[in-house]
Amino acid sequence: MDTARKRNTAREESLEVILHHAEQIFAEFGFKGATMQAIADASGLPKANLHYYFPTKLALYREVIERIFTIWLEAANSFDTSANPREALTRYIRKKMEISRAHPCGSKVWANEVIQGAPIIQDYLQTTLNEWTDTRIRVINRWVAEGKIATVDSRHLLYMIWATTQHYADFQHQVVTLNGGKRLNDAQWDAATKNVTEIILKGIGA
Amino acid sequence: MDTARKRNTAREESLEVILHHAEQIFAEFGFKGATMQAIADASGLPKANLHYYFPTKLALYREVIERIFTIWLEAANSFDTSANPREALTRYIRKKMEISRAHPCGSKVWANEVIQGAPIIQDYLQTTLNEWTDTRIRVINRWVAEGKIATVDSRHLLYMIWATTQHYADFQHQVVTLNGGKRLNDAQWDAATKNVTEIILKGIGA
DNA sequence: GTCTATAGAATGATAGAC
DNA sequence: GTCTATCATTCTATAGAC
């Protein structure tokens, strides 16, 4: 491995470590509540190193948010517009539940951001998310028109899927507390996914 | 009005003004992000007055959280355990949607708190909420046993109702943005409530 | 690239006059 | 009860040695 490659690797590793821990700290304390010191401590680095890689706290936060949005858009692709309602929605809900389990902190940062009026990600909402939502609404409306599902408001159906699946990440602490303080195990995650999928599919007559 | 009464009234009015604006500021910026200065400015009072009524920022926050929890428990009562599934759930969902519309900031403060691991309200989750949840789970399980609704996991059904109804408060900003920047009007709130109610009732075969 | 030390600004809380 | 002034602390960000 040459020195240039070594430098790049070191840089990428530091970036990865910082971003990973920043996501957790931002999720736990919110943007303002998170401190560069706390992120530095969690990352095992002196505070000044964070400012070497990210000029400001806001720039670091932006990176964290963008990573989450990318993961979120992946799930969006699993909503295959060519499939039938049962297939498309089953796959989409399962993927969303998997993300809630694998990336709860990312979901929490996103939720925190939206709750506080999306000061940073407003442009994503107005462009990418808005466009994606429109395409899926058209698909659902077509299903309704073709009689493949009952007459539902497609927009509110999407909100229901988002809300229900993200609840297991954002309200993880409440879910765990009401589960006797224990994290959901594999079987419980399966049960949750199955339950959500069945109620929604049955609820829209798919 | 005697002077004692006048003093009480003045005190109660100040408390009400402070708590009202504190709820909005805490919802918008989170616990740490909210500043006593911002709450004071919103309330039209000097900062020191807040510390006259509430010794610390944390004490003020606690009061805000407790008010929300009280409203939340009111809705809980609308889940009449003696009614049939259709009636009980229709009334509960409608009440929850009304609260999301009337008290979005309260819901946001609660959501923020839970997302961040419920450092302040942990005891509410473990006692009052846990007990309330258990009684409702028993009711839903009885409905299942009596064949009044399909076989569903009652706990996850509750989570679905909470998540979906609170989404309209917590993710208000996203909902509004995807609605072309306009707040939902009466008809849209009705449509949302009707849609949520119908999908869930149909989904559980009620 | 990594670290120590510190500047500069903002914040929670209080003292004390009115 | 209300207000001004201020202290003590904490935090972001940077300077500069290594």
Side-chain angles (χ1 to χ4, degrees):
Chain A
M1 194 184 286
D2 61 25
T3 52
R5 173 63 191 272
K6 214 183 276 177
R7 266 203 307 280
N8 270 345
T9 304
R11 177 177 184 83
E12 278 155 27
E13 268 174 23
S14 288
L15 282 171
E16 182 56 37
V17 166
I18 293 170
L19 284 167
H20 173 74
H21 291 97
E23 184 177 288
Q24 299 198 337
I25 300 292
F26 280 129
E28 188 172 347
F29 301 102
F31 173 71
K32 195 65 190 284
T35 67
M36 295 297 269
Q37 187 66 63
I39 297 170
D41 291 348
S43 306
L45 293 168
K47 197 173 51 164
N49 288 30
L50 270 59
H51 285 285
Y52 173 73
Y53 286 106
F54 301 95
T56 64
K57 181 183 176 181
L58 188 62
L60 173 54
Y61 181 73
R62 247 181 228 277
E63 273 291 315
V64 169
I65 285 274
E66 275 179 27
R67 277 158 56 99
I68 298 154
F69 195 60
T70 303
I71 289 169
W72 188 88
L73 280 179
E74 270 176 42
N77 292 334
S78 74
F79 193 147
D80 184 349
T81 53
S82 66
N84 66 50
R86 276 201 86 81
E87 266 181 54
L89 293 179
T90 298
R91 200 178 308 138
Y92 182 52
I93 291 170
R94 188 176 56 230
K95 185 72 188 166
K96 287 278 292 171
M97 288 294 282
E98 283 169 2
I99 292 176
S100 282
R101 188 177 190 186
H103 303 280
C105 289
S107 184
K108 287 175 190 177
V109 176
W110 179 272
N112 242 318
E113 169 71 11
V114 172
I115 287 173
Q116 298 180 15
I120 310 295
I121 61 166
Q122 180 60 22
D123 49 333
Y124 291 141
L125 298 185
Q126 284 174 340
T127 58
T128 317
L129 182 59
N130 199 13
E131 286 158 20
W132 183 87
T133 304
D134 277 348
T135 66
R136 308 303 140 145
I137 283 177
R138 253 176 260 130
V139 172
I140 298 172
N141 284 343
R142 204 181 56 219
W143 289 338
V144 172
E146 291 172 352
K148 288 181 179 171
I149 62 173
T151 304
V152 295
D153 187 315
S154 46
R155 189 172 288 275
H156 293 297
L157 172 59
L158 278 180
Y159 294 166
M160 178 178 266
I161 295 173
W162 296 346
T164 307
T165 55
Q166 287 166 212
H167 180 84
Y168 289 90
D170 302 340
F171 285 69
Q172 176 187 34
H173 183 83
Q174 184 171 295
V175 170
V176 168
T177 298
L178 295 180
N179 190 42
K182 282 170 286 185
R183 298 173 67 96
L184 301 195
N185 57 34
D186 289 352
Q188 288 174 316
W189 273 99
D190 277 350
T193 304
K194 200 177 154 201
N195 210 69
V196 169
T197 307
E198 281 180 2
I199 292 179
I200 290 181
L201 287 182
K202 193 170 170 186
I204 64 171
Chain B
M1 194 185 288
D2 61 24
T3 52
R5 174 64 191 272
K6 214 183 274 176
R7 266 203 306 279
N8 271 345
T9 304
R11 178 178 184 82
E12 278 156 26
E13 269 175 20
S14 288
L15 282 171
E16 182 55 37
V17 166
I18 293 170
L19 284 167
H20 173 75
H21 291 98
E23 183 176 289
Q24 299 198 336
I25 301 291
F26 280 128
E28 190 172 347
F29 301 102
F31 174 70
K32 195 63 191 285
T35 66
M36 295 297 270
Q37 188 66 62
I39 297 170
D41 291 348
S43 305
L45 292 167
K47 197 173 50 161
N49 288 31
L50 270 59
H51 285 285
Y52 174 75
Y53 287 106
F54 302 93
T56 64
K57 182 182 174 181
L58 188 61
L60 173 54
Y61 181 72
R62 248 181 227 278
E63 273 291 315
V64 169
I65 285 273
E66 274 178 27
R67 277 158 56 101
I68 297 155
F69 195 60
T70 303
I71 290 168
W72 188 86
L73 281 179
E74 270 176 42
N77 293 334
S78 74
F79 193 146
D80 185 348
T81 53
S82 66
N84 66 49
R86 277 201 86 81
E87 265 181 54
L89 293 179
T90 298
R91 200 178 308 139
Y92 182 52
I93 291 171
R94 188 175 56 230
K95 186 70 189 169
K96 286 278 292 171
M97 288 293 283
E98 283 169 2
I99 292 176
S100 282
R101 189 177 190 183
H103 303 280
C105 289
S107 184
K108 287 175 190 176
V109 175
W110 179 272
N112 244 318
E113 169 71 10
V114 173
I115 287 173
Q116 296 180 17
I120 311 297
I121 60 167
Q122 181 59 24
D123 49 334
Y124 291 140
L125 299 186
Q126 284 175 339
T127 58
T128 317
L129 182 58
N130 200 12
E131 286 158 21
W132 183 88
T133 305
D134 276 348
T135 65
R136 307 303 140 144
I137 283 177
R138 255 176 259 129
V139 173
I140 298 172
N141 284 343
R142 203 179 58 218
W143 289 338
V144 172
E146 292 171 351
K148 288 181 178 171
I149 62 173
T151 304
V152 295
D153 187 315
S154 45
R155 189 173 287 277
H156 293 297
L157 171 60
L158 278 181
Y159 294 167
M160 178 178 266
I161 295 173
W162 294 348
T164 307
T165 54
Q166 286 165 213
H167 180 85
Y168 289 90
D170 302 340
F171 285 70
Q172 176 187 35
H173 183 83
Q174 184 171 295
V175 170
V176 168
T177 298
L178 294 180
N179 191 43
K182 282 170 285 186
R183 296 174 67 96
L184 301 195
N185 58 35
D186 289 352
Q188 289 174 314
W189 274 99
D190 278 351
T193 304
K194 199 178 154 201
N195 209 69
V196 170
T197 307
E198 282 179 2
I199 292 179
I200 290 180
L201 287 183
K202 194 170 168 186
I204 63 171

